[in-house]
Amino acid sequence: MQLTFASYNIHKAVGTDRRRDPDRILAVLREIDADVIALQEADRRIGWRESVLPRETIEDYTPWVPVPLNHRPESLGWHGNALLVRKGIAVIEARVVPLPTLEPRGAVRADLLIEGQRLRVVGMHLDLSGLRRRQQVRTILDHLTRCDGDHPTVLMGDCNEWSLHRGALGEFRAPWQLLTPGPSFPARRPVARLDRLVLCQRWQVEDHGVHHSALAARASDHLPVWGRAILPKK
């Protein structure tokens, strides 16, 4: 089984030209064409916290469907964290993962069924504070240890960590595989490797990178990152 995972902080669909353009974000996602996508900043932060990407547009005009979290009717995710999966992938269950924080942050977890194999995916957006980030990573890992079953797992998101391997990322010890696709922020001239993917040892990583395109350089203040991996048969 070969799958492509992607993570994208869409900045509430506001691009570097200061225009909010949801269709532009969806076009970038089509360029990547990943099987499972973690989005950050997918909802507004005030009021009804409605999604900046119309759910109907996603379901009717893209190859993905949102993972239902059933928390806020108008939201796509939880504190802006949302997951999209390719149509045909079954969602067994989905949960929010509250994180210790002083600002609205969170993570979401979904168990998926693909080709008869149960997989676990986490989307996350970590704090600006280094101490909080470390606490949040520990909270996510603790949550995973309490989940039913030991299934192949992928975590991805905006980690807000400038260090390559230290800080909060030091919590992902072996056998976790920490992928640093490359500079993804700011989108026009990326220098910071803020967006990461973390895979359990069952995955064989084939490739990973940052998605550079003219459209992606305008659509958000982050560039998307992606990873392609194979899950060997048991």
Side-chain angles (χ1 to χ4, degrees):
M1 182 194 303
Q2 182 188 81
L3 294 173
T4 300
F5 301 91
S7 177
Y8 193 10
N9 184 329
I10 66 172
H11 197 226
K12 303 176 185 61
V14 177
T16 54
D17 55 4
R18 299 184 181 181
R19 291 194 303 113
R20 191 186 306 277
D21 190 343
D23 290 337
R24 187 165 54 182
I25 294 293
L26 295 176
V28 173
L29 294 179
R30 291 188 190 96
E31 291 178 346
I32 305 168
D33 195 30
D35 300 292
V36 182
I37 302 168
L39 300 177
Q40 301 87 50
E41 299 193 25
D43 302 323
R44 298 174 186 263
R45 292 186 65 174
I46 58 175
W48 293 99
R49 299 185 183 179
E50 66 267 30
S51 169
V52 297
L53 302 180
R55 188 182 301 270
E56 295 79 7
T57 302
I58 298 173
E59 295 176 347
D60 293 344
Y61 298 103
T62 80
W64 307 284
V65 292
V67 171
L69 294 169
N70 300 322
H71 183 68
R72 291 177 180 271
E74 303 299 327
S75 300
L76 194 67
W78 160 256
H79 287 315
N81 291 276
L83 294 169
L84 305 180
V85 297
R86 191 177 297 279
K87 292 174 181 176
I89 295 177
V91 179
I92 300 174
E93 68 173 18
R95 296 284 186 272
V96 301
V97 185
L99 300 181
T101 182
L102 296 177
E103 56 180 321
R105 300 284 179 179
V108 293
R109 187 262 301 176
D111 283 13
L112 312 174
L113 187 65
I114 307 176
E115 298 179 12
Q117 171 69 60
R118 184 164 177 164
L119 310 177
R120 187 160 285 152
V121 179
V122 175
M124 56 189 176
H125 191 184
L126 303 185
D127 205 278
L128 297 175
S129 162
L131 176 60
R132 290 289 182 181
R133 282 196 300 272
R134 188 179 293 273
Q135 293 173 335
Q136 290 168 350
V137 171
R138 290 173 180 171
T139 298
I140 294 170
L141 294 177
D142 287 345
H143 171 83
L144 292 175
T145 62
R146 296 193 302 272
C147 291
D148 293 336
D150 180 18
H151 304 292
T153 302
V154 177
L155 303 89
M156 48 188 167
D158 180 357
C159 294
N160 270 316
E161 180 63 71
W162 287 68
S163 172
L164 290 182
H165 304 288
R166 299 179 181 177
L169 300 178
E171 298 295 320
F172 294 113
R173 303 179 182 90
W176 288 108
Q177 305 176 75
L178 175 63
L179 304 186
T180 305
S184 56
F185 177 84
R188 284 182 173 174
R189 294 185 178 180
V191 295
R193 296 167 168 84
L194 302 185
D195 302 283
R196 311 294 182 96
L197 295 91
V198 186
L199 289 75
C200 76
Q201 77 277 11
R202 299 188 194 183
W203 293 97
Q204 294 180 2
V205 178
E206 279 206 319
D207 200 5
H208 57 90
V210 179
H211 179 73
H212 292 271
S213 72
L215 194 59
R218 299 193 307 272
S220 171
D221 61 346
H222 284 244
L223 294 173
V225 299
W226 58 272
R228 186 167 58 248
I230 292 176
L231 187 65
K233 293 182 178 180
K234 295 182 180 179

